[in-house]
Amino acid sequence: MKVYLVGGAVRDALLGRPAGDRDFVVVGATPAQMEAQGFRPVGRDFPVFLHPQTHEEYALARCERKAGHGYRGFTVLSTPDITLEEDLLRRDFTINAIARDDDGQHVDPYGGIADLEARVLRHVSPAFCEDPVRILRAARFMARWQPLGFSIADETMTLMRSMVAEGEVDHLVPERVFQELSRALQEPAPSAFLRTLRQCGALARILPEVDALYGVPQRAEYHPEIDTGLHVELCLDIAAQLAPGDALIAFCVLTHDLGKALTPARELPAHLRHEATGLEPLNTLCERLKVPAEHAALAKICCREHLNVHRLAELKASTVHDLIARCDGFRKPERVARLGLVCEADKRGRRGMAAADYPQRETLNALHAAALAVRPRDLDLAGLDGPQVGEKLRRARIAAIAAVRS
């Protein structure tokens, strides 16, 4: 029995990046032998065990055979005679198919170290095409590593395109799509996720509402980048700077302009009422991917209200109050702060405007704080019924907003 450290921990150490979770492969062992040494079985689909002291995962070496569509369509074979090389062969990319033994020596049968040095994401074997999740993983890894200079090998991109053409991505489970999307939106360059999916044709199948934005023109005086799809890419990368690792903010940025794909050709490059027309495709996207409720709720707020925040200086105090109320900002104040972040990403996500000032976010937060500071217990409510109490509280909060502006 021999144990190897594998996967991301080995890869990240070679890249000089902080290590995350450690995973181990055990060669030459049976489940009974693992349990006899105190390992606790946890694997449902294949033999995985938790170390009795560290609780890290140890998986028996295994092979996989395609037996159906999608990422669940596999049968697993795990016997003591399966070699490390056979186990590594089933992995997605060469940079993830490197192992390290107890002596610190690397086992690299598929050239992963050379690909790390060349900054290339390359599939290990033709079996890559059997699992459509690998397309999403390729795009997610590009969102993480494009700032380091990574690119996808030509032959891997060709294989990804063939998977899309053959309909393999159509078997992806919605929850898994959203999981990979959410993880990609937490990376430093989420724009690379969209570009990679679009390059292989998967974006139109997975996120057709977003894919439809590419090629849609905007007014050049407001959007020097012109293309709406490019605008969304720029916004996502600004959001990654403003709120690093925040998938909720990034999801709202991703979906805030979906209405622009529905603008009649006669109205282009203007996009009248796109903040309203964007709600229908946003609902469709959220329902299809089974998006969490707060993601969907905040995304709808940002889609509907982002233009109002942009012109905040023009709004009356009563209009500002009602905007906050529509966000449920008195019960859920964090929503207003997040709306401001999304709007700043929208403003700065334009060619040549990455460093632009956006005072509206600070102003919105200040007006919101003033309104929040007004509590019912601070008001004289004697003799008032429910609706009258609500109206008096509203007027007091409007007055507080107006006072900040005076």
Side-chain angles (χ1 to χ4, degrees):
M1 181 171 108
K2 189 155 186 180
V3 176
Y4 298 88
L5 181 67
V6 294
V10 179
R11 175 200 69 217
D12 291 344
L14 289 167
L15 283 172
R17 295 172 67 86
D21 294 336
R22 301 196 307 166
D23 295 309
F24 297 86
V25 160
V26 182
V27 178
T30 65
Q33 289 173 318
M34 297 294 288
E35 292 187 54
Q37 295 187 43
F39 285 83
R40 181 166 61 89
V42 293
R44 183 175 59 183
D45 300 320
F46 48 84
V48 178
F49 301 82
L50 297 184
H51 191 281
Q53 279 80 46
T54 67
H55 305 294
E56 293 175 312
E57 289 192 356
Y58 286 66
L60 298 188
R62 66 185 190 271
C63 295
E64 296 173 345
R65 297 288 183 268
K66 187 72 169 173
H69 290 293
Y71 78 99
R72 297 176 190 259
F74 292 89
T75 58
V76 176
L77 175 65
S78 179
T79 59
D81 60 343
I82 292 176
T83 67
L84 175 65
E85 288 75 16
E86 288 176 308
D87 183 273
L88 295 176
L89 183 64
R90 68 178 174 77
R91 297 175 185 269
D92 48 10
F93 304 105
T94 60
I95 64 173
N96 293 331
I98 309 167
R100 192 175 73 203
D101 64 20
D102 291 338
D103 298 324
Q105 299 299 308
H106 290 102
V107 181
D108 180 27
Y110 307 111
I113 293 176
D115 282 342
L116 273 178
E117 293 171 349
R119 301 295 194 257
V120 172
L121 201 60
R122 190 190 317 275
H123 64 283
V124 176
S125 78
F128 179 94
C129 67
E130 297 174 350
D131 184 356
V133 171
R134 289 173 170 175
I135 291 178
L136 296 174
R137 283 171 59 82
R140 174 165 60 84
F141 285 148
M142 287 302 296
R144 179 184 304 175
W145 291 324
Q146 190 178 66
L148 299 181
F150 271 81
S151 62
I152 295 181
D154 290 342
E155 61 268 32
T156 300
M157 181 55 68
T158 297
L159 195 57
M160 290 164 60
R161 287 176 177 142
S162 71
M163 293 168 68
V164 174
E166 292 166 8
E168 189 68 23
V169 296
D170 299 333
H171 297 283
L172 285 166
V173 177
E175 292 88 345
R176 189 60 189 271
V177 173
F178 182 76
Q179 180 186 50
E180 291 294 325
L181 169 62
S182 185
R183 294 173 72 180
L185 293 175
Q186 297 174 58
E187 299 292 356
S191 63
F193 179 80
L194 297 186
R195 284 196 298 276
T196 301
L197 292 182
R198 190 161 182 262
Q199 190 177 357
C200 71
L203 189 63
R205 310 289 276 273
I206 296 168
L207 292 169
E209 299 85 359
V210 177
D211 185 72
L213 297 174
Y214 286 89
V216 176
Q218 303 165 108
R219 292 176 60 178
E221 63 267 37
Y222 300 121
H223 288 274
E225 71 285 352
I226 298 178
D227 188 287
T228 306
L230 178 56
H231 167 58
V232 171
E233 290 183 8
L234 293 169
C235 290
L236 283 172
D237 288 349
I238 291 294
Q241 298 172 27
L242 291 172
D246 194 325
L248 174 55
I249 294 294
F251 179 75
C252 295
V253 169
L254 174 70
T255 57
H256 79 282
D257 263 352
L258 295 183
K260 289 183 176 179
L262 303 178
T263 300
R266 65 181 180 276
E267 295 179 9
L268 295 173
H271 292 278
L272 302 177
R273 291 184 50 76
H274 73 274
E275 70 279 15
T277 57
L279 293 173
E280 183 177 348
L282 176 55
N283 283 330
T284 300
L285 185 157
C286 290
E287 290 175 5
R288 185 178 68 252
L289 296 187
K290 304 184 188 311
V291 171
E294 185 58 23
H295 279 63
L298 187 63
K300 292 170 189 176
I301 288 168
C302 294
C303 178
R304 186 184 66 231
E305 305 292 353
H306 67 278
L307 293 187
N308 288 328
V309 177
H310 290 337
R311 59 188 186 92
L312 187 64
E314 305 168 19
L315 304 184
K316 298 184 297 184
S318 59
T319 306
V320 173
H321 172 278
D322 294 347
L323 186 159
I324 294 169
R326 286 195 301 274
C327 298
D328 203 7
F330 295 112
R331 290 194 316 122
K332 299 179 179 180
E334 68 280 358
R335 284 185 173 179
V336 176
R338 288 168 174 161
L339 171 62
L341 274 169
V342 172
C343 292
E344 181 168 352
D346 178 31
K347 175 61 182 292
R348 293 172 55 188
R350 310 177 192 207
R351 182 166 289 160
M353 300 177 68
D357 291 331
Y358 192 72
Q360 291 94 322
R361 177 158 75 98
E362 184 177 343
T363 301
L364 177 63
N365 289 338
L367 299 178
H368 183 214
L372 279 174
V374 178
R375 305 295 179 91
R377 65 173 178 263
D378 300 325
L379 304 177
D380 180 7
L381 303 176
L384 301 181
D385 60 18
Q388 291 172 327
V389 169
E391 180 56 28
K392 185 160 187 175
L393 180 60
R394 178 177 182 272
R395 288 199 304 267
R397 285 171 167 168
I398 291 171
I401 291 171
V404 171
R405 287 180 151 182
S406 61

